Amino acid sequence: FPPIRRSIMSSAPQIGDRLTASWRDGSKHKAEIVERRPSNATSSRKGSGSGGSAKAAARTTHKGSSDRVKESDGEVEEAVKEMASDFAYYVHYVGFDRRLDEWVELGRLDLTTVEELPKSKSPGGHGRTRNNKRRPSDAHSSGSSDPAILKLEKEHEELTKVKNIGCIQMGEYEVDTWYYSPYPDEYCGVDRLYVCEHCLKYMKRKDTLAKHKKDCTVTRPPGNEIYRDQNVSVFEIDGKDHPIYCQSLCLMAKLFLDHKTLYYETAPFMFYVVAEIDPAGSKVVGFFSKEKHSSEGYNLACILTFPQFQRSGYGKFIISLSYEISKREGKAGSPEKPLSDLGKLSYRSYWTLILFRLLRESPDLPIEQIQSVTAIKQEDIISTLQHKDMIKEWKGQHVIHVKKSEVEAELKRIERSRVRLCNPDCLTWPVQGGGVK
């Protein structure tokens, strides 16, 4: 059924309503109201008198009946707008990732476009009302048809539907958050969280951070330094040996990752933290984690380049580092599934780059040998080449059909942007007496 368009005068926007909202750049997009809270402007209107409706009633005393109806309509509309402006609204932009969800004031909502779903009668006679819970997100789903997985996804989305921290201040960078993260309750609901860029301790107040920096003696991540190439360094950290640092890292990473649940149980994981080194110490750029013992053969559980360092080539660097470690372990690896939308793009780009560079020089290599050389699992090789229409089936086997012109064109496209890969000569792994046990 088509949505029922509601009159602007019927009520203020409610949770579950859809309407047109202005994005930060002024463009218009359909949005769904996920939550609402008292606006900061509400308190300033408290105690301002008896309100407009009483004054309006006095103004209509000597009006004719038709004039009173017209003025009454205007007063109702004004009252609805005033009531609606008492709230700030948390909106999800329909068709976009949840990282773009945000709190907005009434001025960014077009109340003339409010829609609600039609009420559907159930056998008991009860219909859906706009106070029902939010519809499952159409912008984020694993695509699974497993009822248990779908139930978990629904529960996860309900629990994490509203960001609990507005932004983080980390060194010189102020970074808007993307998603909910399960920080302790006393740190939730703040507009800004202050994070020490060296030890990752988090604080609610700027003056607390200033005091902390005077006493903090940490200048680099814990664990073993396993990579150094000019000012780029990598530290291998055992989650069992350094739980507080790894928990802080995971909580901060969760602000920028949606479907990852590694927060406090860090002991089964190794962490590989990438940092930029300067005279003041190290600045965390990103990281990946991996299970110490993965029955599925995953060589990476979680990957993130923090937003302030994105578009600098670190995504491919971190992925290439995970595969270089897999090569030294003597086995092929693959990232844990499902990947986020950004993770899919990063991996597809990396796999294409590595495979095309190899096939440009050796177009007749069989898939098994490509896996041996690159440590990329066969299923990832096949899916990447199928995406590029370079896999044919012959006598029940997958056969690579290299299109040289397309290979060259794709490599030129990828290499136009900065390509930063792990330099094997700079990697000291496994560490003597360390590594995965």
Side-chain angles (χ1 to χ4, degrees):
F1 297 100
I4 299 173
R5 191 169 297 277
R6 204 173 61 234
S7 166
I8 187 174
M9 294 184 292
S10 61
S11 71
Q14 304 291 307
I15 295 171
D17 287 351
R18 291 192 174 191
L19 74 173
T20 300
S22 296
W23 221 337
R24 297 180 185 183
D25 62 1
S27 59
K28 308 289 186 181
H29 296 278
K30 179 174 285 190
E32 180 177 340
I33 296 177
V34 178
E35 190 58 88
R36 66 180 194 171
R37 67 184 182 191
S39 170
N40 292 333
T42 304
S43 59
S44 66
R45 292 196 299 270
K46 300 292 185 182
S48 59
S50 58
S53 55
K55 295 176 183 177
R59 288 199 302 270
T60 60
T61 304
H62 302 291
K63 298 280 186 180
S65 60
S66 61
D67 290 336
R68 285 199 300 271
V69 169
K70 290 178 182 178
E71 187 159 335
S72 177
D73 286 348
E75 291 158 9
V76 171
E77 180 174 338
E78 191 63 34
V80 169
K81 286 184 177 180
E82 183 171 344
M83 179 173 64
S85 66
D86 285 346
F87 296 95
Y89 299 87
Y90 193 80
V91 297
H92 166 68
Y93 296 100
V94 178
F96 293 88
D97 189 272
R98 293 204 305 166
R99 64 176 168 268
L100 299 176
D101 295 3
E102 61 179 338
W103 287 102
V104 301
E105 296 294 333
L106 181 67
R108 288 173 59 184
L109 304 178
D110 185 349
L111 298 187
T112 65
T113 64
V114 175
E115 300 173 357
E116 68 174 349
L117 287 181
K119 294 182 180 180
S120 55
K121 294 293 182 180
S122 64
H126 299 289
R128 181 193 187 279
T129 70
R130 66 185 176 198
N131 290 324
N132 289 143
K133 290 184 177 180
R134 177 192 182 192
R135 290 160 283 189
S137 171
D138 51 4
H140 189 97
S141 173
S142 67
S144 173
S145 58
D146 186 328
I149 293 178
L150 292 174
K151 182 181 178 182
L152 287 173
E153 284 186 347
K154 185 176 181 181
E155 290 175 354
H156 168 86
E157 186 167 353
E158 184 64 26
L159 288 170
T160 65
K161 63 183 180 180
V162 177
K163 301 173 192 176
N164 53 340
I165 293 167
C167 70
I168 61 171
Q169 183 77 45
M170 190 174 179
E172 62 185 296
Y173 299 101
E174 178 185 304
V175 187
D176 288 340
T177 62
W178 295 357
Y179 305 109
Y180 169 95
S181 182
Y183 278 91
D185 289 344
E186 60 266 33
Y187 296 93
C188 296
V190 298
D191 290 331
R192 185 190 307 266
L193 195 66
Y194 296 90
V195 180
C196 174
E197 61 184 335
H198 298 305
C199 73
L200 305 188
K201 180 178 174 62
Y202 46 89
M203 293 146 270
K204 293 188 293 184
R205 297 170 56 90
K206 186 176 181 179
D207 56 351
T208 306
L209 175 63
K211 182 179 179 181
H212 166 82
K213 288 170 70 174
K214 292 179 181 178
D215 300 328
C216 183
T217 59
V218 176
T219 58
R220 46 153 277 180
N224 298 309
E225 185 176 19
I226 62 170
Y227 185 95
R228 175 67 73 93
D229 186 3
Q230 298 181 41
N231 72 322
V232 176
S233 186
V234 178
F235 297 84
E236 181 184 60
I237 308 169
D238 191 322
K240 182 179 180 181
D241 295 339
H242 303 281
I244 301 301
Y245 182 91
C246 293
Q247 288 168 8
S248 296
L249 179 66
C250 290
L251 285 170
M252 186 165 62
K254 183 63 185 70
L255 293 169
F256 308 101
L257 296 168
D258 198 358
H259 272 214
K260 292 294 179 182
T261 56
L262 170 63
Y263 314 134
Y264 298 109
E265 187 54 45
T266 61
F269 293 87
M270 299 296 294
F271 294 81
Y272 297 85
V273 175
V274 181
E276 287 185 352
I277 308 299
D278 62 23
S282 63
K283 297 178 180 178
V284 176
V285 166
F287 77 101
F288 81 90
S289 62
K290 63 180 292 186
E291 288 184 284
K292 295 175 183 177
H293 306 284
S294 172
S295 58
E296 295 87 354
Y298 294 140
N299 66 352
L300 183 145
C302 179
I303 180 173
L304 176 70
T305 303
F306 287 103
Q308 64 268 38
F309 296 103
Q310 290 178 3
R311 300 186 180 277
S312 300
Y314 281 113
K316 286 187 178 67
F317 173 82
I318 295 172
I319 294 171
S320 68
L321 174 65
S322 72
Y323 279 107
E324 190 59 39
I325 291 175
S326 291
K327 291 176 188 177
R328 299 192 184 191
E329 290 175 329
K331 56 187 179 184
S334 184
E336 184 177 307
K337 312 298 191 304
L339 291 166
S340 67
D341 56 344
L342 295 179
K344 288 177 184 177
L345 291 173
S346 296
Y347 265 93
R348 181 59 56 80
S349 179
Y350 172 79
W351 288 332
T352 300
L353 173 67
I354 299 303
L355 297 178
F356 278 22
R357 280 182 173 179
L358 184 59
L359 292 172
R360 179 172 58 186
E361 304 302 325
S362 305
D364 298 323
L365 279 180
I367 292 174
E368 295 82 0
Q369 194 168 346
I370 293 175
Q371 174 179 281
S372 177
V373 172
T374 64
I376 300 172
K377 276 197 169 182
Q378 289 192 35
E379 55 261 37
D380 295 326
I381 296 170
I382 292 169
S383 69
T384 301
L385 295 179
Q386 282 177 334
H387 183 71
K388 298 298 181 181
D389 195 27
M390 291 189 185
I391 285 283
K392 306 293 181 182
E393 284 201 25
W394 185 70
K395 294 185 178 181
Q397 299 289 321
H398 288 103
V399 179
I400 299 174
H401 177 62
V402 177
K403 303 174 183 179
K404 291 185 177 180
S405 61
E406 292 186 17
V407 167
E408 290 293 345
E410 185 68 12
L411 286 175
K412 285 182 180 178
R413 185 190 67 80
I414 295 175
E415 291 170 347
R416 274 201 298 266
S417 58
R418 183 174 187 179
V419 175
R420 189 198 297 259
L421 300 178
C422 169
N423 181 351
D425 295 335
C426 298
L427 178 63
T428 306
W429 195 95
V431 178
Q432 189 69 29
V436 178
K437 300 179 178 66

